[in-house]
Amino acid sequence: MTVNPEHILADLIRLNTVNPPGNENRVAGYLRDLFNSVGISSEIIESETNRANFIAKLGSGSKRLLFLSHSDVVPAGDGWDFDPFSGEIKNGVVYGRGALDCKGLMAAQVHAALRLAGEGVSLNGTLIFAATADEEKGGAFGVKYLMENCPEKIRADFAVNEGGEEPLIINGQMIYFIQVGEKGTAWSTLRSRGKSCHGSIPTLGENAVVKMVRALNALADYKAEIKLIPEVSLLIEELMRIKGVKEPLTEDNVDRLLNCIEEDEGFRETLRAMTRMTVSPNVIEGGSKTNVVPESCSAEVDIRILPGQDQEYVLLELQRYLGNEIEIEANNYAAPTFSTAQSSYYRLIESVTKEVAGPDINCLPHISTGATDSRFLRNAGIPAYGIGHMARGFESEARNTVHGKNERIDVASLHLKSEFLVKLAKKYLS
Ligand SMILES: [Zn+2]
């Protein structure tokens, strides 16, 4: 029988669940057999043919803890140095698509559940294990489907999911992160109207492309209002303390303080995005022919909002910069979601993290700039926390392989995740 998280992960990687089309039934069938072999009953809920969600329960009782992960992965793409679906284990590293997102966490959650069952731990409550479909394409066949059709199956007091940043070392101090929220999306289409005429006599018309260019230039100067939610303030203040920066954090100096984070540019800019709405015009379309003055032009803008901001706020902000020459149409709106760090669940996760990673580590909350399935749980009132716990000495460059090439995770980190989950379940359900 497969007993180590690395072997479970290798098996999971070899089950190709690239979404689309997903084929998450491959993972569900594998998990059913594995859980069966240790006497844990489970069920598979298909939202559509081959789009399977796997749910298993340990123990019984009113306290409920959910271990959530998703079984689909994004396409591998080209340029890998190894077969993305080999699941090879070499020199303490497991290689392949999904190693970090999210089959590594899944393997640790499976391993933790098998360990709890194997040790015969009697739980004063229910541990729910859910491996769900379709996270990478919006969750319609996965958690969204479950929450709409059978929410009681995964309803819990709180959930542990993906979404936490991997640890970071600053000034020799190791920092672990717990994700407490996710920014929302408020994608918008901008449209300018003009009057068409022959390009040789442009003064007869009104050029919609020129109008749009003016509007986008104004938007390029957009100065987002700084909004420091308490968890993000705490995060930045603690990072500054570790860096030895004495200046107290304010909305006015946040950008200057963040510039002190020289260890990791990606992390620094993620932090910056945690303090404000971001606006990025990414697609522009207008005109049809060199000799025709265009009568319309459109631009697609990626807008990400913080907990506490909404669609109305976005519209007012855009109007402030664009004036009324530009039509603004909201599309693809998803509200930000948030679970407070001022909860006993958060504190439990924090204390167990210190227990497994060492008392000298720091544990800090953060919010993500993108979304995971946690949003469906939070929207249904279930607090969800994201972890990206890794072992000391993990290869920090590997974090950039999520959705990229050469995805991999070290074996020690898989064991640390599993250890964390076992202890968390024992503590909460004791
Ligand atoms: Zn993921």
Side-chain angles (χ1 to χ4, degrees):
M1 199 192 85
T2 338
V3 284
N4 289 320
E6 60 268 34
H7 291 137
I8 298 170
L9 175 57
D11 287 346
L12 291 171
I13 288 171
R14 284 191 284 265
L15 301 167
N16 184 328
T17 51
V18 167
N19 185 11
N23 288 323
E24 295 91 343
N25 57 317
R26 292 172 177 166
V27 163
Y30 168 81
L31 293 177
R32 182 192 50 216
D33 294 346
L34 191 54
F35 278 72
N36 247 340
S37 70
V38 294
I40 306 173
S41 62
S42 59
E43 67 180 312
I44 291 174
I45 298 166
E46 277 204 343
S47 47
E48 202 166 83
T49 311
N50 298 338
R51 309 307 302 272
N53 296 283
F54 175 88
I55 299 172
K57 288 193 172 101
L58 272 79
S60 62
S62 56
K63 284 171 103 176
R64 287 160 76 93
L65 166 61
L66 170 64
F67 285 174
L68 179 68
S69 59
H70 63 87
S71 39
D72 60 320
V73 295
V74 295
D78 301 324
W80 289 60
D81 297 329
F82 47 86
D83 171 5
F85 300 101
S86 73
E88 191 187 358
I89 306 172
K90 208 170 76 184
N91 302 328
V93 176
V94 188
Y95 294 87
R97 172 55 86 225
L100 283 166
D101 181 16
C102 169
K103 289 175 170 174
L105 176 63
M106 181 180 292
Q109 291 181 342
V110 172
H111 186 247
L114 297 187
R115 262 183 68 188
L116 289 164
E119 290 173 16
V121 177
S122 82
L123 299 175
N124 174 28
T126 313
L127 175 65
I128 307 163
F129 170 94
T132 56
D134 200 33
E135 193 275 342
E136 299 291 359
K137 295 286 278 176
F141 299 108
V143 178
K144 185 167 188 274
Y145 177 91
L146 296 175
M147 291 315 290
E148 281 167 4
N149 292 279
C150 47
E152 69 289 349
K153 292 196 189 293
I154 55 170
R155 181 162 286 287
D157 306 333
F158 73 106
V160 175
N161 187 21
E162 65 171 343
E165 290 275 330
E166 280 89 14
L168 204 67
I169 295 171
I170 292 183
N171 275 9
Q173 290 219 39
M174 189 140 180
I175 305 162
Y176 281 74
F177 298 99
I178 301 169
Q179 190 235 51
V180 296
E182 296 172 353
K183 289 181 90 173
T185 50
W187 293 359
S188 300
T189 303
L190 311 182
R191 211 164 267 114
S192 60
R193 310 266 181 207
K195 199 173 125 208
S196 185
C197 68
H198 198 282
S200 64
I201 323 163
T203 45
L204 276 179
E206 223 183 297
N207 192 317
V209 166
V210 170
K211 269 190 198 174
M212 181 60 78
V213 167
R214 261 191 233 119
L216 293 182
N217 264 327
L219 204 56
D221 291 331
Y222 179 68
K223 294 265 178 301
E225 173 195 5
I226 303 295
K227 183 177 159 69
L228 295 172
I229 62 175
E231 278 76 358
V232 173
S233 286
L234 172 72
L235 168 62
I236 298 173
E237 281 162 358
E238 281 297 296
L239 291 171
M240 289 305 123
R241 184 186 60 75
I242 292 165
K243 297 276 308 176
V245 175
K246 297 253 173 2
E247 199 177 332
L249 169 71
T250 67
E251 275 141 17
D252 298 326
N253 69 7
V254 60
D255 277 324
R256 191 157 44 78
L257 293 188
L258 286 180
N259 289 340
C260 306
I261 312 268
E262 293 147 344
E263 289 78 0
D264 188 314
E265 187 195 1
F267 180 70
R268 182 184 68 225
E269 295 315 310
T270 306
L271 279 169
R272 215 183 294 281
M274 286 181 215
T275 64
R276 71 204 70 190
M277 167 170 123
T278 56
V279 174
S280 184
N282 296 340
V283 179
I284 180 163
E285 261 182 288
S288 56
K289 225 166 159 282
T290 310
N291 61 358
V292 178
V293 170
E295 61 181 356
S296 76
C297 182
S298 70
E300 303 292 334
V301 191
D302 185 353
I303 297 172
R304 308 287 173 134
I305 53 178
L306 285 169
Q309 298 174 332
D310 58 14
Q311 202 148 25
E312 202 187 326
Y313 175 80
V314 172
L315 194 63
L316 289 172
E317 283 293 276
L318 288 180
Q319 275 167 349
R320 199 152 69 84
Y321 277 82
L322 301 174
N324 36 23
E325 275 224 309
I326 300 291
E327 296 165 27
I328 305 163
E329 186 194 316
N331 54 52
N332 195 11
Y333 178 76
T337 65
F338 182 70
S339 307
T340 177
Q342 304 299 319
S343 73
S344 56
Y345 310 127
Y346 179 90
R347 283 192 289 274
L348 182 66
I349 292 172
E350 184 181 45
S351 74
V352 175
T353 301
K354 288 191 172 184
E355 209 178 301
V356 298
D360 57 319
I361 62 120
N362 293 272
C363 202
L364 295 172
H366 77 92
I367 58 173
S368 295
T369 53
T372 70
D373 281 333
S374 288
R375 71 189 187 279
F376 302 115
L377 301 176
R378 293 188 183 121
N379 282 336
I382 302 169
Y385 298 97
I387 58 156
H389 292 6
M390 305 289 276
R392 262 168 228 263
F394 81 100
E395 182 202 359
S396 63
E397 284 81 57
R399 73 167 75 211
N400 302 321
T401 64
V402 170
H403 290 209
K405 56 185 184 179
N406 297 339
E407 192 174 349
R408 58 195 182 270
I409 189 171
D410 62 288
V411 169
S413 291
L414 291 169
H415 282 262
L416 179 124
K417 284 178 204 284
S418 168
E419 186 67 20
F420 165 81
L421 293 162
V422 166
K423 284 214 157 76
L424 182 75
K426 279 185 181 170
K427 280 243 161 88
Y428 185 64
L429 302 172
S430 67

